Amino acid sequence: MLLLVGFSVFSQLAVTTTFTPQELVLNTFAGPNVTISNIKFNGTESNALAIRDQVARFSNGDIGIGASQGLLLATGKAILASGPNNSSGATNVTSAPISGDSDLALITTNTVRNVCTIEFDFVPTGNTVLFEYIFASEEYPEFTNSSFNDTFGLFLSGPGIAGPFSNSAINIATIPGTATPVTINNLNNGISNTGPCEYCQYYVNNGTGSNPVLNPEVQYDGLSTEFTASGPVTSGQTYHLKFAIANVGDNALDSAIFLTAGSLRAATLGNENYTTEKVTLYPNPATDFIHINAAYSISEITIYDVQGRALQQTKTTGTDIELNTQDLTTGTYIIEFVLDNSEKIIQKLVIR
């Protein structure tokens, strides 16, 4: 009997809805090397100062979703995210629904409803802005490749950026190694989770409510793996980030973005010694290994996270090297090569 009871116990995602959007951005999402100001929710700063049912802090998410805690944005009430996954069509409509968003309208071909946006200005100390996120939806898998293509965007604008969205923003919510936006119709494994595969290596099947043991602490039927979004910035300049998600076509079946706690940061990737002619690496993005070719013999290879912490160091010699990266989780890293003449070459490495 005790064994049976033990198998029925699971860790449930905790969703806390007692924080304002401004508190969630500053105290949950913000990380090092960024100064944030002018936080808005659904278009105004005053909205960011009151508790809103579409945003929340999540925690206890160690099983399955990749991020243990962070900021949650949803098309409906954020509280729906908490499992178990006991419904094939869960909906919890927000008390203040908003329709229409000019940026999201460029990503989809149907009506944008139940919009949830958080945006703010930031000043980075570094040449790259990065953060981790997960996309999730109750539209999976039954409504993949349909007109109910719930969508979201992570829009970056500012000096030196020229894109098709408002304020000349670019969308940095793209499938790794491509310019393809992360949406239900672009990221799935078919209407019954049996294919055809559309970038399904990044898709997590969470059942359809009848099989909640796949990921018991989350309600949504499908999720992406944890992605790293990044974009080029100039240190000391003011930039703008807008996080937007919406239902498409109707107000039913909620979708959400999980933003990993403390992951919004700026880093310097590359320096004045960056020279692709001296050291090249492939594939990049990588999974289990990378091939390294160098014009000069390499004596040492060190991989750092974007906080500057050394994660893996390899003493070596030669110009043609294969390096195992299986121990690295999905994300963005800095890889430093020390040549025999003591010159250092720094490059960006993405693991997927």
Side-chain angles (χ1 to χ4, degrees):
M1 182 177 294
L2 289 175
L3 287 174
L4 291 173
V5 171
F7 281 118
S8 68
V9 174
F10 59 86
S11 175
Q12 187 174 23
L13 185 77
V15 177
T16 306
T17 58
T18 57
F19 300 107
T20 68
Q22 178 170 289
E23 289 172 330
L24 290 166
V25 169
L26 296 177
N27 302 330
T28 297
F29 184 43
N33 302 326
V34 290
T35 302
I36 295 170
S37 61
N38 302 323
I39 301 169
K40 297 179 181 179
F41 175 77
N42 281 352
T44 70
E45 291 185 46
S46 59
N47 282 342
L49 300 177
I51 294 171
R52 302 293 171 179
D53 61 17
Q54 289 178 279
V55 297
R57 178 181 173 85
F58 72 90
S59 57
N60 201 29
D62 298 64
I63 303 173
I65 69 169
S68 61
Q69 56 186 332
L71 166 57
L72 170 63
L73 290 76
T75 59
K77 293 180 179 177
I79 194 67
L80 180 81
S82 184
N85 181 9
N86 56 10
S87 172
S88 61
T91 303
N92 195 342
V93 179
T94 172
S95 59
I98 294 177
S99 295
D101 181 88
S102 60
D103 293 322
L104 292 179
L106 295 179
I107 302 176
T108 185
T109 58
N110 207 334
T111 306
V112 175
R113 305 177 184 273
N114 286 4
V115 176
C116 175
T117 67
I118 285 180
E119 57 188 306
F120 50 82
D121 297 327
F122 71 96
V123 178
T125 304
N127 64 15
T128 305
V129 63
L130 311 98
F131 56 88
E132 274 68 53
Y133 71 94
I134 294 163
F135 173 63
S137 182
E138 194 69 3
E139 299 281 359
Y140 284 121
E142 300 93 336
F143 293 95
T144 58
N145 299 314
S146 74
S147 60
F148 304 105
N149 182 28
D150 286 4
T151 190
F152 80 104
L154 309 172
F155 303 104
L156 173 66
S157 59
I161 296 175
F165 302 97
S166 59
N167 300 317
S168 298
I170 57 174
N171 179 21
I172 57 175
T174 56
I175 293 170
T178 78
T180 303
V182 177
T183 66
I184 291 169
N185 286 358
N186 293 338
L187 176 65
N188 62 75
N189 195 26
I191 61 173
S192 58
N193 288 320
T194 57
C197 168
E198 296 179 81
Y199 295 107
C200 61
Q201 66 268 37
Y202 305 115
Y203 171 68
V204 179
N205 169 20
N206 194 35
T208 56
S210 60
N211 188 14
V213 296
L214 291 172
N215 198 340
E217 86 277 19
V218 180
Q219 177 67 256
Y220 303 111
D221 289 350
L223 307 93
S224 73
T225 57
E226 188 176 45
F227 290 144
T228 298
S230 65
V233 293
T234 299
S235 183
Q237 298 292 308
T238 300
Y239 288 83
H240 190 79
L241 269 171
K242 174 183 173 182
F243 304 81
I245 187 167
N247 288 127
V248 171
D250 61 15
N251 290 330
L253 305 185
D254 294 356
S255 297
I257 315 169
F258 295 86
L259 299 171
T260 303
S263 69
L264 176 65
R265 72 269 189 200
T268 298
L269 302 181
N271 63 9
E272 63 275 9
N273 294 323
Y274 176 81
T275 310
T276 55
E277 290 82 4
K278 292 184 179 180
V279 179
T280 60
L281 57 95
Y282 64 91
N284 191 9
T287 51
D288 297 333
F289 62 88
I290 53 174
H291 291 289
I292 300 164
N293 293 117
Y296 304 93
S297 184
I298 297 173
S299 60
E300 185 176 282
I301 303 170
T302 306
I303 297 178
Y304 300 88
D305 65 16
V306 293
Q307 313 291 345
R309 295 171 293 200
L311 304 178
Q312 181 177 320
Q313 188 174 75
T314 303
K315 300 289 186 180
T316 185
T317 183
T319 59
D320 191 1
I321 301 163
E322 182 175 295
L323 188 67
N324 189 315
T325 57
Q326 289 181 335
D327 292 336
L328 299 177
T329 58
T330 299
T332 300
Y333 299 87
I334 301 164
I335 183 166
E336 179 186 76
F337 306 95
V338 179
L339 306 183
D340 279 352
N341 63 0
S342 298
E343 182 180 0
K344 293 183 179 180
I345 306 295
I346 296 176
Q347 293 194 31
K348 174 182 174 180
L349 171 65
V350 177
I351 301 295
R352 64 185 182 187

